[in-house]
């Protein structure tokens, strides 16, 4: 079945999925500390604001922007970026109470969402 999905529909769905992931990871969700967590619906990458940024692409620019803002003590919020035709990034700073921040010493996270997966979930 062919679905007509607008950019607005995609962004709304990315926002819903990102907020759900943020709620989960900002809680006391305990996992082994690592850089990347892979699930059926998305991939989560976590970053420390003090680590050097490598690369030149959109993702690297976003990492650099979050790192700079956090290092300067500026308030940073959630953000949605279209990485390419097949991938969206929902980014957010980790809560001071989150397990990933307290134990794993990470400062912000990217939820990588496949456009194909998102489209398949839109009714």
């Amino acid at each position: 079945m062919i679905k007509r999905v607008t950019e607005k529909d995609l962004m709304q769905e990315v926002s819903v999925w990102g907020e759900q992931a943020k709620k989960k990871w900002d809680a006391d969700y305990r996992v082994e500390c690592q850089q990347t967590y892979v699930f059926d619906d998305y991939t989560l990458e976590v970053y420390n604001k003090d680590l050097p940024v490598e690369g030149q692409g959109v993702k690297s620019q976003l990492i650099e922007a979050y790192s700079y803002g956090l290092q300067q003590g500026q308030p940073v919020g959630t953000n949605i970026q279209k990485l390419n035709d097949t991938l969206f990034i929902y980014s957010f700073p980790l809560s001071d109470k989150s397990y990933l921040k307290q134990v794993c010493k990470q400062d912000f996270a990217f939820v990588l969402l496949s456009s194909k997966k998102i489209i398949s979930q839109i009714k």
Side-chain angles (χ1 to χ4, degrees):
M1 184 169 107
I2 297 175
K3 296 179 184 179
R4 176 161 163 65
V5 179
T6 67
E7 192 74 20
K8 182 180 175 184
D9 295 335
L10 280 172
M11 293 302 239
Q12 286 176 336
E13 196 67 19
V14 168
S15 182
V16 168
W17 285 35
E19 283 299 319
Q20 289 172 351
K22 181 181 184 309
K23 187 175 180 180
K24 174 181 182 176
W25 292 98
D26 263 349
D28 194 21
Y29 188 74
R30 296 172 185 256
V31 291
E32 182 178 324
C33 294
Q34 53 194 47
Q35 170 99 38
T36 304
Y37 302 90
V38 180
F39 301 92
D40 290 339
D41 295 336
Y42 64 88
T43 299
L44 182 89
E45 295 178 356
V46 291
Y47 298 92
N48 181 289
K49 71 181 182 328
D50 297 321
L51 293 178
V53 179
E54 298 175 9
Q56 299 289 337
V58 173
K59 192 172 165 185
S60 296
Q61 292 172 1
L62 194 56
I63 293 168
E64 187 175 349
Y66 264 87
S67 294
Y68 179 80
L70 290 167
Q71 288 169 353
Q72 300 302 312
Q74 299 171 346
V76 293
T78 61
N79 188 355
I80 298 174
Q81 286 289 131
K82 188 172 185 178
L83 189 59
N84 54 40
D85 289 341
T86 62
L87 198 61
F88 284 91
I89 295 178
Y90 181 94
S91 52
F92 62 95
L94 291 164
S95 159
D96 289 337
K97 296 178 183 179
S98 93
Y99 182 83
L100 289 176
K101 183 146 184 159
Q102 290 183 356
V103 176
C104 301
K105 305 302 181 204
Q106 302 298 340
D107 296 300
F108 58 96
F110 290 175
V111 179
L112 289 91
L113 299 161
S114 158
S115 299
K116 184 178 178 181
K117 184 77 171 177
I118 294 166
I119 291 169
S120 71
Q121 298 297 316
I122 295 175
K123 295 182 170 104

